Amino acid sequence: MTGWRTGLGTLLAMVLSSQVASAADPRYPDWPCQQAKVPEISLAAVWAGPPLGDAETKWRDNPKISALATKLAARRVPLEDAQKEITEFLQAATADKANAGKLLFAGLFDTLNGQRASVMNGLERVMRKQREAAEKIRDDTVKLQALQDATPPDQAKVDELGNQLVWETRIFEDRGRVVKFVCEVPTTIDQRLFALSRTIQQELD
């Protein structure tokens, strides 16, 4: 029973720690995703509308714009619903449409970029935990092998450490699966910002 635990622990320690090491972009050693890390969306990449001017900072002074930007940035709001709400909001703005559109875009841009940064920082924190966990699995595997090689082996300690290794590797694997899922979130945020920006610009054309 303990033999397969040792083999599993050794295999996971080697393979998973290798995955942790190879997953990072060389420029960003704590970045765990296959997707290249883009720390921030550039304004020019998503906005081809009129110059924003002071809208980049003034949007925060407008409670209605701030509330709407927060609401539409939330991924729980279906993209189609968010686009519809933008259209209705800007059409109701009439003469002030251009200013309202710029303020709303500036709010969405800052809010969604902030969400991206939060997610990406979280991913890098998890990556550091995974490295620590991989090291712990390696160390405990060595300890378990030493316990098994002792004459006579202390079976109680062997079983205890073997069970601990099973849990450590399970947590490591579970966390790795979560990371793969969360790695898609920055791209989802990018796509949302592009789509909402396009909707605003279409209304302002």
Side-chain angles (χ1 to χ4, degrees):
M1 184 174 181
T2 55
W4 72 265
R5 287 176 178 168
T6 305
L8 178 61
T10 303
L11 178 62
L12 288 173
M14 294 174 61
V15 174
L16 296 180
S17 64
S18 174
Q19 289 177 346
V20 168
S22 63
D25 185 318
R27 297 170 299 169
Y28 306 102
D30 292 329
W31 182 242
C33 307
Q34 292 183 350
Q35 301 92 325
K37 180 181 179 182
V38 180
E40 187 175 87
I41 306 172
S42 70
L43 184 65
V46 292
W47 183 251
L52 295 180
D54 62 2
E56 291 187 56
T57 56
K58 292 292 185 182
W59 70 269
R60 291 187 175 86
D61 300 330
N62 187 315
K64 188 173 183 179
I65 292 290
S66 297
L68 185 58
T70 299
K71 176 184 177 181
L72 301 182
R75 295 189 300 281
R76 65 177 178 275
V77 177
L79 180 58
E80 295 78 8
D81 292 351
Q83 291 172 312
K84 181 180 179 182
E85 193 157 349
I86 287 173
T87 298
E88 292 173 350
F89 171 73
L90 292 179
Q91 288 179 352
T94 59
D96 198 39
K97 179 187 286 189
N99 186 54
K102 291 190 292 183
L103 288 170
L104 181 56
F105 168 75
L108 287 168
F109 181 78
D110 280 1
T111 302
L112 287 168
N113 250 330
Q115 288 182 9
R116 287 179 85 257
S118 178
V119 170
M120 295 168 85
N121 289 339
L123 281 165
E124 291 182 325
R125 283 195 300 272
V126 172
M127 181 62 162
R128 290 190 285 272
K129 288 183 180 179
Q130 287 291 78
R131 285 207 187 95
E132 293 172 1
E135 186 64 34
K136 182 71 162 54
I137 290 170
R138 283 196 298 269
D139 290 347
D140 285 347
T141 299
V142 171
K143 291 176 184 177
L144 181 58
Q145 289 172 332
L147 285 173
Q148 289 179 319
D149 291 342
T151 306
D154 186 329
Q155 197 59 47
K157 289 184 178 180
V158 168
D159 290 343
E160 180 182 1
L161 187 52
N163 288 328
Q164 180 177 315
L165 262 172
V166 169
W167 280 109
E168 287 173 351
T169 53
R170 183 175 298 173
I171 291 170
F172 187 98
E173 287 182 303
D174 288 346
R175 192 183 286 150
R177 282 191 286 269
V178 171
V179 165
K180 287 182 180 179
F181 173 77
V182 178
C183 277
E184 301 296 330
V185 173
T187 299
T188 300
I189 294 174
D190 293 350
Q191 292 169 345
R192 189 176 187 87
L193 179 57
F194 280 116
L196 297 181
S197 171
R198 186 167 58 248
T199 299
I200 294 173
Q201 291 175 76
Q202 287 172 346
E203 285 300 317
L204 297 187
D205 287 343

PDB file of all heavy atoms in Angstrom, residues 3-17 134 137-138 140-142 144-145 148 165 169:
ATOM      1  N   GLY A   3       3.874   1.409  -1.094  1.00  0.00           N
ATOM      2  CA  GLY A   3       4.715   1.497  -2.279  1.00  0.00           C
ATOM      3  C   GLY A   3       4.117   2.376  -3.361  1.00  0.00           C
ATOM      4  O   GLY A   3       4.799   3.207  -3.955  1.00  0.00           O
ATOM      5  N   TRP A   4       2.804   2.177  -3.614  1.00  0.00           N
ATOM      6  CA  TRP A   4       2.197   3.001  -4.666  1.00  0.00           C
ATOM      7  C   TRP A   4       2.141   4.462  -4.252  1.00  0.00           C
ATOM      8  O   TRP A   4       2.206   5.357  -5.093  1.00  0.00           O
ATOM      9  CB  TRP A   4       0.810   2.491  -5.029  1.00  0.00           C
ATOM     10  CG  TRP A   4      -0.269   2.727  -4.005  1.00  0.00           C
ATOM     11  CD1 TRP A   4      -0.698   1.863  -3.043  1.00  0.00           C
ATOM     12  CD2 TRP A   4      -1.067   3.897  -3.862  1.00  0.00           C
ATOM     13  NE1 TRP A   4      -1.695   2.429  -2.297  1.00  0.00           N
ATOM     14  CE2 TRP A   4      -1.953   3.681  -2.781  1.00  0.00           C
ATOM     15  CE3 TRP A   4      -1.116   5.122  -4.532  1.00  0.00           C
ATOM     16  CZ2 TRP A   4      -2.867   4.623  -2.356  1.00  0.00           C
ATOM     17  CZ3 TRP A   4      -2.041   6.063  -4.100  1.00  0.00           C
ATOM     18  CH2 TRP A   4      -2.902   5.816  -3.027  1.00  0.00           C
ATOM     19  N   ARG A   5       2.026   4.713  -2.924  1.00  0.00           N
ATOM     20  CA  ARG A   5       2.032   6.096  -2.480  1.00  0.00           C
ATOM     21  C   ARG A   5       3.376   6.753  -2.759  1.00  0.00           C
ATOM     22  O   ARG A   5       3.459   7.894  -3.187  1.00  0.00           O
ATOM     23  CB  ARG A   5       1.725   6.159  -0.979  1.00  0.00           C
ATOM     24  CG  ARG A   5       0.267   5.877  -0.638  1.00  0.00           C
ATOM     25  CD  ARG A   5       0.063   5.871   0.848  1.00  0.00           C
ATOM     26  NE  ARG A   5      -1.322   5.640   1.202  1.00  0.00           N
ATOM     27  CZ  ARG A   5      -1.754   5.368   2.406  1.00  0.00           C
ATOM     28  NH1 ARG A   5      -0.889   5.259   3.402  1.00  0.00           N
ATOM     29  NH2 ARG A   5      -3.040   5.176   2.658  1.00  0.00           N
ATOM     30  N   THR A   6       4.431   5.995  -2.502  1.00  0.00           N
ATOM     31  CA  THR A   6       5.760   6.533  -2.772  1.00  0.00           C
ATOM     32  C   THR A   6       5.930   6.823  -4.252  1.00  0.00           C
ATOM     33  O   THR A   6       6.419   7.882  -4.648  1.00  0.00           O
ATOM     34  CB  THR A   6       6.845   5.525  -2.320  1.00  0.00           C
ATOM     35  OG1 THR A   6       6.630   5.215  -0.955  1.00  0.00           O
ATOM     36  CG2 THR A   6       8.227   6.104  -2.516  1.00  0.00           C
ATOM     37  N   GLY A   7       5.512   5.853  -5.085  1.00  0.00           N
ATOM     38  CA  GLY A   7       5.635   6.059  -6.516  1.00  0.00           C
ATOM     39  C   GLY A   7       4.823   7.236  -7.003  1.00  0.00           C
ATOM     40  O   GLY A   7       5.292   8.048  -7.809  1.00  0.00           O
ATOM     41  N   LEU A   8       3.596   7.363  -6.500  1.00  0.00           N
ATOM     42  CA  LEU A   8       2.740   8.471  -6.902  1.00  0.00           C
ATOM     43  C   LEU A   8       3.328   9.795  -6.458  1.00  0.00           C
ATOM     44  O   LEU A   8       3.361  10.769  -7.216  1.00  0.00           O
ATOM     45  CB  LEU A   8       1.342   8.295  -6.293  1.00  0.00           C
ATOM     46  CG  LEU A   8       0.318   9.404  -6.574  1.00  0.00           C
ATOM     47  CD1 LEU A   8       0.071   9.515  -8.072  1.00  0.00           C
ATOM     48  CD2 LEU A   8      -0.981   9.139  -5.833  1.00  0.00           C
ATOM     49  N   GLY A   9       3.792   9.818  -5.215  1.00  0.00           N
ATOM     50  CA  GLY A   9       4.366  11.063  -4.711  1.00  0.00           C
ATOM     51  C   GLY A   9       5.576  11.493  -5.511  1.00  0.00           C
ATOM     52  O   GLY A   9       5.730  12.661  -5.839  1.00  0.00           O
ATOM     53  N   THR A  10       6.448  10.528  -5.835  1.00  0.00           N
ATOM     54  CA  THR A  10       7.640  10.851  -6.619  1.00  0.00           C
ATOM     55  C   THR A  10       7.267  11.342  -8.005  1.00  0.00           C
ATOM     56  O   THR A  10       7.818  12.333  -8.511  1.00  0.00           O
ATOM     57  CB  THR A  10       8.545   9.609  -6.732  1.00  0.00           C
ATOM     58  OG1 THR A  10       8.869   9.150  -5.421  1.00  0.00           O
ATOM     59  CG2 THR A  10       9.818   9.938  -7.486  1.00  0.00           C
ATOM     60  N   LEU A  11       6.325  10.651  -8.650  1.00  0.00           N
ATOM     61  CA  LEU A  11       5.919  11.026  -9.999  1.00  0.00           C
ATOM     62  C   LEU A  11       5.324  12.422 -10.025  1.00  0.00           C
ATOM     63  O   LEU A  11       5.691  13.261 -10.857  1.00  0.00           O
ATOM     64  CB  LEU A  11       4.895  10.018 -10.529  1.00  0.00           C
ATOM     65  CG  LEU A  11       4.343  10.301 -11.936  1.00  0.00           C
ATOM     66  CD1 LEU A  11       5.471  10.256 -12.953  1.00  0.00           C
ATOM     67  CD2 LEU A  11       3.269   9.279 -12.293  1.00  0.00           C
ATOM     68  N   LEU A  12       4.406  12.692  -9.080  1.00  0.00           N
ATOM     69  CA  LEU A  12       3.776  14.002  -9.059  1.00  0.00           C
ATOM     70  C   LEU A  12       4.792  15.081  -8.724  1.00  0.00           C
ATOM     71  O   LEU A  12       4.747  16.185  -9.269  1.00  0.00           O
ATOM     72  CB  LEU A  12       2.623  14.018  -8.045  1.00  0.00           C
ATOM     73  CG  LEU A  12       1.384  13.244  -8.468  1.00  0.00           C
ATOM     74  CD1 LEU A  12       0.373  13.175  -7.326  1.00  0.00           C
ATOM     75  CD2 LEU A  12       0.734  13.872  -9.688  1.00  0.00           C
ATOM     76  N   ALA A  13       5.702  14.781  -7.807  1.00  0.00           N
ATOM     77  CA  ALA A  13       6.722  15.766  -7.460  1.00  0.00           C
ATOM     78  C   ALA A  13       7.559  16.146  -8.670  1.00  0.00           C
ATOM     79  O   ALA A  13       7.875  17.317  -8.881  1.00  0.00           O
ATOM     80  CB  ALA A  13       7.626  15.215  -6.355  1.00  0.00           C
ATOM     81  N   MET A  14       7.899  15.151  -9.501  1.00  0.00           N
ATOM     82  CA  MET A  14       8.720  15.423 -10.673  1.00  0.00           C
ATOM     83  C   MET A  14       7.926  16.102 -11.782  1.00  0.00           C
ATOM     84  O   MET A  14       8.315  17.138 -12.313  1.00  0.00           O
ATOM     85  CB  MET A  14       9.325  14.117 -11.192  1.00  0.00           C
ATOM     86  CG  MET A  14      10.323  13.470 -10.243  1.00  0.00           C
ATOM     87  SD  MET A  14      10.881  11.850 -10.830  1.00  0.00           S
ATOM     88  CE  MET A  14      11.632  12.298 -12.379  1.00  0.00           C
ATOM     89  N   VAL A  15       6.768  15.498 -12.107  1.00  0.00           N
ATOM     90  CA  VAL A  15       5.999  15.995 -13.245  1.00  0.00           C
ATOM     91  C   VAL A  15       5.363  17.343 -12.963  1.00  0.00           C
ATOM     92  O   VAL A  15       5.465  18.279 -13.739  1.00  0.00           O
ATOM     93  CB  VAL A  15       4.919  14.972 -13.649  1.00  0.00           C
ATOM     94  CG1 VAL A  15       4.022  15.546 -14.737  1.00  0.00           C
ATOM     95  CG2 VAL A  15       5.574  13.685 -14.123  1.00  0.00           C
ATOM     96  N   LEU A  16       4.695  17.469 -11.792  1.00  0.00           N
ATOM     97  CA  LEU A  16       3.965  18.693 -11.507  1.00  0.00           C
ATOM     98  C   LEU A  16       4.897  19.859 -11.245  1.00  0.00           C
ATOM     99  O   LEU A  16       4.620  20.983 -11.647  1.00  0.00           O
ATOM    100  CB  LEU A  16       3.025  18.480 -10.315  1.00  0.00           C
ATOM    101  CG  LEU A  16       1.915  17.443 -10.569  1.00  0.00           C
ATOM    102  CD1 LEU A  16       1.031  17.309  -9.338  1.00  0.00           C
ATOM    103  CD2 LEU A  16       1.075  17.818 -11.771  1.00  0.00           C
ATOM    104  N   SER A  17       6.016  19.601 -10.572  1.00  0.00           N
ATOM    105  CA  SER A  17       6.957  20.695 -10.359  1.00  0.00           C
ATOM    106  C   SER A  17       7.552  21.142 -11.682  1.00  0.00           C
ATOM    107  O   SER A  17       7.842  22.319 -11.885  1.00  0.00           O
ATOM    108  CB  SER A  17       8.066  20.284  -9.394  1.00  0.00           C
ATOM    109  OG  SER A  17       8.849  19.238  -9.933  1.00  0.00           O
ATOM    110  N   ALA A 134       4.966  22.203  -4.502  1.00  0.00           N
ATOM    111  CA  ALA A 134       5.760  21.213  -5.229  1.00  0.00           C
ATOM    112  C   ALA A 134       7.029  20.870  -4.453  1.00  0.00           C
ATOM    113  O   ALA A 134       7.432  19.701  -4.375  1.00  0.00           O
ATOM    114  CB  ALA A 134       6.113  21.737  -6.622  1.00  0.00           C
ATOM    115  N   ILE A 137       6.075  18.626  -1.568  1.00  0.00           N
ATOM    116  CA  ILE A 137       5.822  17.257  -2.028  1.00  0.00           C
ATOM    117  C   ILE A 137       7.147  16.529  -2.257  1.00  0.00           C
ATOM    118  O   ILE A 137       7.311  15.371  -1.865  1.00  0.00           O
ATOM    119  CB  ILE A 137       4.966  17.264  -3.307  1.00  0.00           C
ATOM    120  CG1 ILE A 137       3.545  17.722  -2.979  1.00  0.00           C
ATOM    121  CG2 ILE A 137       4.926  15.877  -3.950  1.00  0.00           C
ATOM    122  CD1 ILE A 137       2.684  17.984  -4.193  1.00  0.00           C
ATOM    123  N   ARG A 138       8.092  17.210  -2.871  1.00  0.00           N
ATOM    124  CA  ARG A 138       9.403  16.594  -3.099  1.00  0.00           C
ATOM    125  C   ARG A 138      10.073  16.231  -1.774  1.00  0.00           C
ATOM    126  O   ARG A 138      10.583  15.131  -1.602  1.00  0.00           O
ATOM    127  CB  ARG A 138      10.301  17.536  -3.907  1.00  0.00           C
ATOM    128  CG  ARG A 138       9.984  17.595  -5.387  1.00  0.00           C
ATOM    129  CD  ARG A 138      11.137  18.232  -6.154  1.00  0.00           C
ATOM    130  NE  ARG A 138      11.354  19.613  -5.724  1.00  0.00           N
ATOM    131  CZ  ARG A 138      10.772  20.665  -6.282  1.00  0.00           C
ATOM    132  NH1 ARG A 138       9.901  20.495  -7.267  1.00  0.00           N
ATOM    133  NH2 ARG A 138      11.039  21.882  -5.857  1.00  0.00           N
ATOM    134  N   ASP A 140       8.702  15.767   1.191  1.00  0.00           N
ATOM    135  CA  ASP A 140       7.995  14.711   1.909  1.00  0.00           C
ATOM    136  C   ASP A 140       8.178  13.353   1.236  1.00  0.00           C
ATOM    137  O   ASP A 140       8.187  12.313   1.902  1.00  0.00           O
ATOM    138  CB  ASP A 140       6.502  15.047   2.008  1.00  0.00           C
ATOM    139  CG  ASP A 140       6.237  16.138   3.040  1.00  0.00           C
ATOM    140  OD1 ASP A 140       7.146  16.447   3.821  1.00  0.00           O
ATOM    141  OD2 ASP A 140       5.101  16.690   3.059  1.00  0.00           O
ATOM    142  N   THR A 141       8.339  13.365  -0.095  1.00  0.00           N
ATOM    143  CA  THR A 141       8.592  12.108  -0.801  1.00  0.00           C
ATOM    144  C   THR A 141       9.938  11.518  -0.385  1.00  0.00           C
ATOM    145  O   THR A 141      10.063  10.314  -0.137  1.00  0.00           O
ATOM    146  CB  THR A 141       8.566  12.327  -2.322  1.00  0.00           C
ATOM    147  OG1 THR A 141       7.278  12.805  -2.702  1.00  0.00           O
ATOM    148  CG2 THR A 141       8.859  11.043  -3.072  1.00  0.00           C
ATOM    149  N   VAL A 142      10.944  12.391  -0.274  1.00  0.00           N
ATOM    150  CA  VAL A 142      12.265  11.940   0.181  1.00  0.00           C
ATOM    151  C   VAL A 142      12.182  11.398   1.602  1.00  0.00           C
ATOM    152  O   VAL A 142      12.756  10.343   1.928  1.00  0.00           O
ATOM    153  CB  VAL A 142      13.283  13.096   0.086  1.00  0.00           C
ATOM    154  CG1 VAL A 142      14.596  12.702   0.750  1.00  0.00           C
ATOM    155  CG2 VAL A 142      13.524  13.490  -1.373  1.00  0.00           C
ATOM    156  N   LEU A 144       9.564  10.122   3.065  1.00  0.00           N
ATOM    157  CA  LEU A 144       8.826   8.861   3.056  1.00  0.00           C
ATOM    158  C   LEU A 144       9.711   7.712   2.594  1.00  0.00           C
ATOM    159  O   LEU A 144       9.676   6.611   3.159  1.00  0.00           O
ATOM    160  CB  LEU A 144       7.600   8.985   2.147  1.00  0.00           C
ATOM    161  CG  LEU A 144       6.702   7.745   2.034  1.00  0.00           C
ATOM    162  CD1 LEU A 144       6.183   7.323   3.404  1.00  0.00           C
ATOM    163  CD2 LEU A 144       5.541   8.006   1.084  1.00  0.00           C
ATOM    164  N   GLN A 145      10.523   7.971   1.585  1.00  0.00           N
ATOM    165  CA  GLN A 145      11.423   6.919   1.101  1.00  0.00           C
ATOM    166  C   GLN A 145      12.427   6.529   2.184  1.00  0.00           C
ATOM    167  O   GLN A 145      12.741   5.352   2.362  1.00  0.00           O
ATOM    168  CB  GLN A 145      12.150   7.405  -0.157  1.00  0.00           C
ATOM    169  CG  GLN A 145      11.225   7.498  -1.373  1.00  0.00           C
ATOM    170  CD  GLN A 145      11.900   8.158  -2.561  1.00  0.00           C
ATOM    171  OE1 GLN A 145      12.806   8.981  -2.399  1.00  0.00           O
ATOM    172  NE2 GLN A 145      11.462   7.800  -3.754  1.00  0.00           N
ATOM    173  N   GLN A 148      10.704   4.349   4.698  1.00  0.00           N
ATOM    174  CA  GLN A 148      10.481   2.996   4.176  1.00  0.00           C
ATOM    175  C   GLN A 148      11.772   2.190   4.121  1.00  0.00           C
ATOM    176  O   GLN A 148      11.750   0.957   4.239  1.00  0.00           O
ATOM    177  CB  GLN A 148       9.859   3.075   2.775  1.00  0.00           C
ATOM    178  CG  GLN A 148       8.410   3.544   2.790  1.00  0.00           C
ATOM    179  CD  GLN A 148       7.843   3.641   1.386  1.00  0.00           C
ATOM    180  OE1 GLN A 148       8.512   4.091   0.466  1.00  0.00           O
ATOM    181  NE2 GLN A 148       6.601   3.202   1.221  1.00  0.00           N
ATOM    182  N   LEU A 165       1.024  12.878   2.003  1.00  0.00           N
ATOM    183  CA  LEU A 165       1.421  13.104   0.607  1.00  0.00           C
ATOM    184  C   LEU A 165       0.229  13.007  -0.339  1.00  0.00           C
ATOM    185  O   LEU A 165       0.127  13.771  -1.299  1.00  0.00           O
ATOM    186  CB  LEU A 165       2.485  12.078   0.202  1.00  0.00           C
ATOM    187  CG  LEU A 165       3.942  12.535   0.259  1.00  0.00           C
ATOM    188  CD1 LEU A 165       4.867  11.358   0.034  1.00  0.00           C
ATOM    189  CD2 LEU A 165       4.194  13.626  -0.769  1.00  0.00           C
ATOM    190  N   THR A 169      -0.742  16.162  -2.725  1.00  0.00           N
ATOM    191  CA  THR A 169      -0.804  16.080  -4.187  1.00  0.00           C
ATOM    192  C   THR A 169      -2.218  16.356  -4.694  1.00  0.00           C
ATOM    193  O   THR A 169      -2.396  16.954  -5.760  1.00  0.00           O
ATOM    194  CB  THR A 169      -0.331  14.695  -4.669  1.00  0.00           C
ATOM    195  OG1 THR A 169      -1.058  13.671  -3.983  1.00  0.00           O
ATOM    196  CG2 THR A 169       1.149  14.512  -4.424  1.00  0.00           C
TER     197      THR A 169
END
